[in-house]
Amino acid sequence: MAVLALLTAVCAITLEQFVQWQYGATGLAGLLLLTVGIKAKSPTCSSIGAVVLALMMTGPALQP
């Protein structure tokens, strides 16, 4: 049980560091909003976080 919790924490920290490295503070804020929205069962907060992350990921593809 403790190994599963440790593995989950390591994966979460790794994902947060990758998002911050790749997309900066805005990407980290989007991931934070998405995570808080899911844990608090708030569709508004999680939707805003998902939209921020989607815009960060598709932004370079949309530029001419």
Side-chain angles (χ1 to χ4, degrees), residues 38-59:
I38 290 172
K39 292 205 183 255
K41 294 185 171 111
S42 170
T44 304
C45 189
S46 59
S47 297
I48 291 171
V51 167
V52 168
L53 285 176
L55 287 175
M56 293 298 296
M57 291 181 191
T58 60

Side-chain angles (χ1 to χ4, degrees), residues 4-62:
L4 183 61
L6 181 64
L7 184 62
T8 303
V10 168
C11 288
I13 291 171
T14 303
L15 179 65
E16 288 176 5
Q17 291 297 319
F18 176 73
V19 168
Q20 184 175 7
W21 170 71
Q22 188 73 27
Y23 301 109
T26 308
L28 189 60
L31 183 63
L32 180 66
L33 281 169
L34 181 64
T35 305
V36 168
I38 290 172
K39 292 205 183 255
K41 294 185 171 111
S42 170
T44 304
C45 189
S46 59
S47 297
I48 291 171
V51 167
V52 168
L53 285 176
L55 287 175
M56 293 298 296
M57 291 181 191
T58 60
L62 297 175

